[in-house]
Structures are given as structure tokens and as C-alpha cells.
Amino acid sequence: MGKTTLKNVTVADAYLSILADRGIDYLFANAGTDFTPLIEALAKAQALGTPTPIPITCPHENTAQHMAIGYYLATGRQQLTMMHVNVGTANGLNGLLNAQRGGIPMLFTAGRTPVNEDTLPGHRSLDIHWTQEMYDQAGMLREAVKWDYELRNSVQLETVVDRALSVSMSEPRGPVYLALPREILAQEMSEYTYNSPTRVQPATAPAPDAEALDEIAALLAKAERPLLITNWGGRNPNVMALLTDLADRFALPVVEFRNRYVAMPPLHPMHAGHDPNPYIENADVIMIIDCAAPWLPSQVRPPEKCKVIHMAVDPMYGFVPIRGFEADISVSCATDVGLSLLSDAMESHIGSASTQIENRRQVQTKRHKEQRETLLQKLEDDKRKSTISYALLSHSINEIRDADTVIIKESSLLQQYIETEKPLTMINAGAASGLGHGLGVALGVKLADRDRMVIATEGDGAYIFNNPLSCHYVAAEQDLPVITIVFNNQHWQAVDRATKNQYPDGYAAQSNRQPLTHFTVDQHYEKAVEVAGGYGEQVTDPKELMSALERAKKITMVDKRQALLNVTCVGV
Ligand SMILES: Cc1ncc(C[n+]2csc(CCOP(=O)(O)OP(=O)(O)O)c2C)c(N)n1
């Protein structure tokens, strides 16, 4: 096994060197006075040309967290974030929750205020080093990480880094937290040796139990009205091909319910749309893949005799305290591994089920055709309106994309109009529904592949949650020209609608402008991008929409300048 030896280094130097060796490409950071040994180490590495994760200055922690998420989704490589002690950790929590609920690995770190008042290099030097100290800094986020630790000394450095990185990348993947005290980072070592490459690899993806899988295969093969439901199946880049093949060969309708990724191209006849209710009412076998909430029990329940199957790396969804969905069979496995083996297992059941399979195919193909016709009819109706509808805006975005374009969804974009055909080209990484994710994720995806067109679609409310000036700054500084499209409906429609649903005859439903859900000032978001040298344009007229989108495409992809369209639109 290889070893790397460093001479006359600080713990900070060695820490960065190990991280680079372990394949961490970037450090997305928002610095404070706890960072001093790391800043010194980065400057030293730059001067000497030694490898470290590349530092990216993020003016807000939310940008840092979501760039790490976007970069991981585009590459499969976990990244490093660092925040300023307790306060920076607090600002990063929204992104941390999105990462944890979304199964995104990352090494989330923060400094720890110095504890020595006047001794040891790195000791306290400012009043805040007393006022920022906490009894348990990780306490505020322990529920959102798989592992947390505070670096205690230089000797354990390699063990700590490898433990953090291997725990986060083992299934179920998720973020880990490491606090780094300033005095320890500043400690000097005449020599430091670590293993290269690491001897601590993450666990391999788990495979399903063969007996359970055969039982599932038999149930699905002979079912008359089977249904597959997924939410984040499409997060795994291998799933789309495997799920499409399975659904196609065995005529299994797939509903993507409240999905954050696309697991199956929507134009495929076995794609059953996004509403599971009409299917669930009559289903005899339902398989739920990567989905914590497959339907709303207050709206629909499967028939008593329907068999309910769950497939996920943790089909108990341990992060959810209460969850009562039926579970006749649950298999734990990485979804791509499970789907591939299920496909094999189903082969032996095809013979006895060929009639059911053909019937299913006919019924679902007809339903799919009808669903698509309804969507197109809605679009045609909307084209005649004088305002821009969500359907028209979504369809128009589809018109400027190519198969590799990545569309980030933090808006009312109607994904039915986006003809997705490749994995991870439609992303909604707000798994905890923590608004403020879209722009950072878009930047992370663009950083991973600068040739791709990346379109961030944002509700006007969501856009503000992103700390847009921070994101537009990073886009400019790092040359990451993305297109931002603000779906500007001047209110928080989701909150407005939820109130009306709960109180259909209430005062809020009668009022023209529910309290706390409307923006009454006409905000010119197109000006915000100009602060960082970007191009901004307001669009109100449907006739101007396509030319504005084409312009934004040219400005980002040819002129390499970020662009923002502030599109006034009206909800469905
Ligand atoms: C960090 C955070 N704060 C608050 C919310 C609650 N919330 C859910 S939807 C929403 C409004 C979103 O408004 P907008 O992006 O304009 O989209 P619209 O609902 O109008 O389509 C809010 C505030 C949240 N999800 N996340």
C-alpha cells in the first residue's frame, strides 16, 4: 500500500491534502475567524502548487450547501462544505436538511471557536471567541446527519476523515458533520504520513433477498391492475433504463408521485403520470420504489386485498417518525440492483402471465394516449390567452432545451411538458422542501459540466429564498452562466392553496389577498442579476416569450453570461 509523507505541515495542511487524495474536488465555503489555519493552508498550497479541494467562495451558506448537492448529483462525487462555527452551521441547516432527506452524501464541516484563552497557536483573539462557544455545537443538527464528530488531535486526523467520507457514501447515503477546532488545525507537525489510496472504502450497494424478490415477481406478473409508484427513483442514474425496461417488458404502469427526479421518460406509454389516485383505487398489486409517501391516505387507500410492496435501500424510511402505509413485503436494496434482479426474476413468470401482460399493455397505452391528449389540449387553449400560463411557460422551456439540458425545478414548472429522456436532467433537490435550493444546485451542476445548458426554474418566492445575490455572484466569479427563469405569480400559491383547501368556506378563501401569502410590491427580479453583470429581462406578453427564451439561451451558451427572465405568469 502507498503512503504519502508531508514535511513541516500544520494539521490544516494535512487535512486538505488527505481530502484531495480522497477525491474531494471542491470546498464550498463561507469563512469566518475559525478558518484562519485553513486559509493559510490553502494559500500555502496555491503558492507551492500542492493539491487541495478547490475553494469556492460562497457569500451565503445556502449557496455552498446546494452547490455541493448539485455537484454530487451531476457527478456522483461527494463534496466538502465549511461554515463559520455555530452561526454558519445554523445558516447551512436548510441545505443540510435537503441533503439528508434527499440521501445526498457530503462532508459538512464548521470551525469550532478556540477554547484556549491565551495559550497554544490559534488561541482566542477576539471577543466572539467567547460568545460563539457552545456546549454542543453539533446538537442543532444531529438528527440531520449520519455521523458527527469533533476533531480531537492530529494523530486521529486520517481516521476521522476516512470515517466521515466512508460513512456518508455508504447506503443509505447522507451528510456527515465534522467540527474543526482552530487550535488543532493550527498544530504543527514536522512529519505526517497517511495511506494513499485510502484503506477505508464505503460499503458496496446492498442486494435484495432472493426469496422475497421471487415472491414480488410472481405477484407483479399475474396482477391484473399493478402499479409502480416512485418519488426519487430517478436520483440513481441507472434506474431510468432499468425501470423503463421492466415497465415496458411486463406492462407495468409507473406513477411518479411528487417526484423530485424523473425515473422514466414521460412519453413512454407505461408512464402513468403523476397522480396515483385513479390507479390506487382499483390496484391489486402496488410496488413502491424510493418513496416515503406514495399517496395521501386522506384522499385514497388501496383496496383491502391489494398487495403492497416496498423497495428501497431503507424501505422502513427510518428518518420518518410516523408512517403507516401497508407493507406486505419490503425489500432493502439499492434500487438499481433490485430492479435489475427483479427483471431477471420476472422472466420465469412470464409464461403463465402472458394474457395479463397483454391486457395491461392495451389498457395503459390507451390511458397514456388520453393523458397526453388532455395535456396538449390544455396547451392549445392556453396559447390563445393574453397571459402566460404555467403550461405555456413549461412547454416553451421544453422548446429551447436539448436532451442533455438540466432543468432545475423549484417552481410550478409542469414537468409533464418537459420531454425528459435522460437521467438526472430534471432535478428538484429540495427533499426536505427547504426552499432556496434551486440556484445553488444549478451552479453545482454547471460546475460539473460547463458545456451543458442549465436552466433554474424558480417561483418568485423560491427565488428570494435562494439569497440570489450570493448565487449570481458565484455564477459570475466562477464563470457559470446558467439561465434563471422566475415564475412570477406575485404570491406564495402553495401556501394560499393549502389554506383554501383546509378552509374552503373560510375568510381567507373569500379574501382577494390572503394575509402572509402575497407580494404587493412589483419586484423587478431582472435587475438583481445585473448586480453581478448578468443579463435580465422581464416578460409579460406570451408573444414575446419564445424570443426571450432564445435570447437567454444565446447569452448563456454563446456569450457565456448568466441570464434571468422574470416571467409574469398566472397559475393553473
Ligand atoms: C425555507 C422554507 N420556508 C418556508 C417554506 C414554506 N413554503 C412552502 S411553498 C412556499 C411558497 C413558495 O412560493 P413560490 O416559490 O412563489 O411558488 P408558488 O407556490 O407561488 O408556486 C413557502 C413559503 C418552505 N418550504 N421552505
Side-chain angles (χ1 to χ4, degrees):
M1 271 298 150
K3 302 265 182 205
T4 295
T5 297
L6 308 170
K7 300 270 187 203
N8 299 321
V9 287
T10 61
V11 170
D13 294 324
Y15 169 68
L16 292 170
S17 175
I18 298 172
L19 285 164
D21 181 82
R22 295 338 186 212
I24 303 297
D25 304 319
Y26 288 100
L27 161 60
F28 301 103
N30 186 285
T33 52
D34 47 343
F35 276 54
T36 47
L38 277 169
I39 293 171
E40 176 62 16
L42 286 165
K44 179 174 164 190
Q46 277 168 8
L48 302 181
T50 50
T52 68
I54 298 169
I56 306 273
T57 307
C58 297
H60 194 279
E61 293 83 352
N62 205 34
T63 315
Q65 285 298 96
H66 290 107
M67 282 189 79
I69 292 176
Y71 190 87
Y72 166 75
L73 288 169
T75 60
R77 293 158 72 83
Q78 70 173 326
Q79 298 304 312
L80 171 66
T81 64
M82 184 160 176
M83 317 299 165
H84 174 49
V85 295
N86 55 351
V87 287
T89 297
N91 271 359
L93 265 178
N94 182 42
L96 183 71
L97 288 165
N98 281 335
Q100 189 246 357
R101 295 286 144 127
I104 307 287
M106 69 167 64
L107 176 52
F108 175 41
T109 67
R112 189 83 166 88
T113 207
V115 290
N116 295 280
E117 295 189 311
D118 55 0
T119 54
L120 293 185
H123 64 72
R124 291 183 177 178
S125 55
L126 287 164
D127 57 325
I128 55 165
H129 297 151
W130 280 264
T131 53
Q132 287 183 328
E133 190 185 5
M134 289 189 84
Y135 287 98
D136 181 9
Q137 186 168 298
M140 70 175 105
L141 55 73
R142 191 155 290 127
E143 192 176 329
V145 292
K146 290 177 74 179
W147 173 94
D148 74 270
Y149 199 70
E150 180 173 312
L151 184 65
R152 309 273 165 81
N153 57 56
S154 59
V155 180
Q156 63 168 187
L157 179 64
E158 182 183 3
T159 308
V160 169
V161 170
D162 281 338
R163 177 106 182 109
L165 297 179
S166 57
V167 167
S168 66
M169 277 299 276
S170 296
E171 296 285 359
R173 292 178 182 178
V176 294
Y177 184 65
L178 178 63
L180 298 158
R182 189 163 90 159
E183 298 95 317
I184 296 185
L185 288 176
Q187 230 173 307
E188 290 175 7
M189 304 180 287
S190 54
E191 191 173 291
Y192 184 80
T193 300
Y194 63 86
N195 289 319
S196 176
T198 178
R199 296 288 314 277
V200 185
Q201 297 293 344
T204 57
D209 169 59
E211 217 171 293
L213 208 67
D214 196 58
E215 212 181 320
I216 297 169
L219 282 168
L220 281 175
K222 64 172 192 294
E224 286 179 8
R225 292 170 306 281
L227 174 64
L228 308 187
I229 306 176
T230 187
N231 177 298
W232 62 85
R235 189 180 70 214
N236 178 328
N238 303 324
V239 160
M240 186 181 274
L242 292 162
L243 183 64
T244 307
D245 180 63
L246 183 82
D248 188 58
R249 274 168 49 217
F250 306 106
L252 300 168
V254 177
V255 165
E256 298 204 67
F257 181 47
R258 305 276 298 167
N259 53 310
R260 299 192 174 276
Y261 304 89
V262 178
M264 191 167 160
L267 294 188
H268 191 283
M270 290 304 125
H271 198 292
H274 303 276
D275 178 8
N277 292 11
Y279 288 85
I280 285 173
E281 280 163 2
N282 301 306
D284 54 357
V285 179
I286 299 176
M287 182 161 90
I288 297 150
I289 305 161
D290 288 340
C291 184
W295 58 79
L296 299 179
S298 61
Q299 292 181 2
V300 71
R301 280 184 185 272
E304 204 43 46
K305 284 193 179 147
C306 174
K307 291 282 182 204
V308 180
I309 301 159
H310 296 260
M311 176 184 277
V313 74
D314 170 19
M316 292 296 123
Y317 301 93
F319 62 82
V320 182
I322 281 294
R323 182 176 183 276
F325 295 100
E326 294 82 352
D328 297 299
I329 307 173
S330 295
V331 276
S332 319
C333 58
T335 315
D336 53 347
V337 180
L339 288 173
S340 163
L341 293 173
L342 178 63
S343 204
D344 297 345
M346 284 194 67
E347 282 298 336
S348 59
H349 297 278
I350 285 186
S352 56
S354 52
T355 321
Q356 284 97 320
I357 292 174
E358 250 347 279
N359 287 346
R360 291 176 343 210
R361 193 179 306 285
Q362 275 180 23
V363 174
Q364 174 50 30
T365 304
K366 184 162 170 280
R367 268 179 122 155
H368 182 264
K369 191 163 168 280
E370 287 164 5
Q371 280 174 358
R372 297 303 306 176
E373 281 167 2
T374 309
L375 282 173
L376 293 180
Q377 187 54 54
K378 160 101 183 89
L379 181 62
E380 287 312 309
D381 294 346
D382 286 3
K383 279 182 183 167
R384 285 190 282 275
K385 293 180 181 163
S386 58
T387 51
I388 299 171
S389 72
Y390 294 158
L392 181 65
L393 182 51
S394 307
H395 163 77
S396 306
I397 291 170
N398 187 56
E399 295 282 282
I400 60 157
R401 64 179 266 287
D402 60 31
D404 291 312
T405 300
V406 179
I407 296 183
I408 309 297
K409 175 167 158 50
E410 192 180 22
S411 67
S412 293
L413 176 90
L414 298 176
Q415 54 170 310
Q416 301 90 315
Y417 290 101
I418 308 296
E419 297 174 357
T420 305
E421 54 221 306
K422 290 194 177 178
L424 288 157
T425 54
M426 214 278 311
I427 296 175
N428 174 340
S433 198
L435 287 177
H437 49 88
L439 295 186
V441 170
L443 293 173
V445 170
K446 186 78 179 175
L447 184 65
D449 185 351
R450 290 168 187 271
D451 294 334
R452 279 194 175 204
M453 178 157 68
V454 179
I455 305 176
T457 67
E458 298 289 324
D460 49 342
Y463 175 72
I464 300 174
F465 277 102
N466 276 273
N467 300 97
L469 292 192
S470 167
C471 295
H472 293 319
Y473 172 79
V474 176
E477 192 202 71
Q478 298 296 325
D479 291 325
L480 301 171
V482 299
I483 304 177
T484 302
I485 298 175
V486 180
F487 283 51
N488 189 349
N489 60 9
Q490 289 226 315
H491 73 306
W492 290 353
Q493 185 170 299
V495 183
D496 178 310
R497 196 185 293 143
T499 313
K500 284 185 183 131
N501 283 346
Q502 189 174 347
Y503 301 101
D505 304 316
Y507 289 95
Q510 317 280 320
S511 98
N512 291 335
R513 208 166 252 178
Q514 288 182 20
L516 297 180
T517 61
H518 281 73
F519 294 136
T520 53
V521 177
D522 190 10
Q523 299 235 89
H524 286 270
Y525 302 112
E526 69 279 6
K527 303 268 182 232
V529 73
E530 290 175 5
V531 172
Y535 173 83
E537 186 176 333
Q538 186 178 25
V539 189
T540 52
D541 183 346
K543 290 197 281 301
E544 303 292 327
L545 180 58
M546 267 321 291
S547 51
L549 284 164
E550 291 292 357
R551 229 175 349 266
K553 179 176 176 177
K554 179 186 166 288
I555 287 163
T556 51
M557 298 307 289
V558 180
D559 307 345
K560 308 283 180 200
R561 204 174 145 208
Q562 62 181 316
L564 182 147
L565 299 183
N566 175 16
V567 182
T568 304
C569 53
V570 179
V572 262

